[in-house]
Amino acid sequence: MDRIVSQWRRERPDLDFAPLGVLGRLFRAAQLTDAALAEGLEEEDLQSGWFDVLAALRRAGAPYELNPAELLRTMMLSSGGMTKRLDRLTEAGLIERRPDPSDRRGSLARLTPKGRTIIDRAIAKHVANEDRLLQPLKPTERRSLDKLLRALLAGLSD
């Protein structure tokens, strides 16, 4: 990024390229982090996107179930994409689907014991991997980065 910013500053000294450097580093960090975290989840045989669904169900607390609309609110995914994931997770024996007693047209997705075992093991590895990825930062730097990213996200959400 430093080289790119330097080249642009040379070619267009009339523009401030500081935002390009900040956001470029942010995007690159996100790409590298995403790849490293996905690699860690492969050890648990979790296909892409499965972790998010299982984690959302586990975070929901006992009985570890949500309807598809609630799951969609926790993820950026289309309803068709969610149905496909739920079908595959059901086939893998990680969740079960059942009618929603409070909505006769709806359904609920619930972690199976196998699904809970896998997500509990995967989340422990995932958090350890996240900690490893943040090792270059001191604890105070992590807190500062978290605070700055919160502020940035709040401004982007307005």
Side-chain angles (χ1 to χ4, degrees):
M1 277 314 306
D2 289 336
R3 186 176 70 237
I4 293 169
V5 169
S6 175
Q7 290 168 335
W8 274 119
R9 283 185 177 145
R10 181 190 70 232
E11 294 300 315
R12 291 292 312 266
D14 57 312
L15 297 176
D16 177 12
F17 288 98
L20 179 83
V22 171
L23 292 176
R25 285 181 191 87
L26 186 61
F27 289 136
R28 185 67 179 141
Q31 291 170 339
L32 293 171
T33 299
D34 192 46
L37 293 174
E39 200 174 284
L41 295 176
E42 286 175 7
E43 296 171 7
E44 293 297 326
D45 274 341
L46 290 177
Q47 293 184 21
S48 178
W50 288 16
F51 176 82
D52 293 335
V53 174
L54 297 176
L57 291 170
R58 182 64 172 94
R59 285 192 317 266
Y64 313 111
E65 67 182 15
L66 294 170
N67 66 44
E70 292 168 323
L71 280 168
L72 279 173
R73 280 194 290 275
T74 69
M75 306 164 70
M76 288 185 280
L77 196 61
S78 69
S79 60
M82 178 60 71
T83 298
K84 185 182 270 189
R85 279 191 195 173
L86 294 177
D87 289 345
R88 292 202 172 123
L89 286 163
T90 301
E91 290 168 13
L94 302 178
I95 67 165
E96 59 187 16
R97 292 164 84 180
R98 63 184 193 85
D100 185 343
S102 64
D103 178 1
R104 64 186 172 117
R105 293 178 298 149
S107 66
L108 294 171
R110 178 186 282 192
L111 280 178
T112 62
K114 177 182 175 183
R116 183 172 175 196
T117 298
I118 286 175
I119 192 58
D120 281 350
R121 196 170 51 228
I123 192 65
K125 288 181 181 180
H126 187 72
V127 171
N129 201 9
E130 288 177 327
D131 185 58
R132 179 187 62 78
L133 293 170
L134 290 172
Q135 284 303 308
L137 301 177
K138 298 173 189 165
T140 56
E141 292 170 326
R142 288 185 190 194
R143 288 190 295 275
S144 294
L145 179 59
D146 186 51
K147 183 178 179 182
L148 292 169
L149 290 172
R150 282 176 189 269
L152 176 62
L153 288 170
L156 294 172
S157 298
D158 291 344

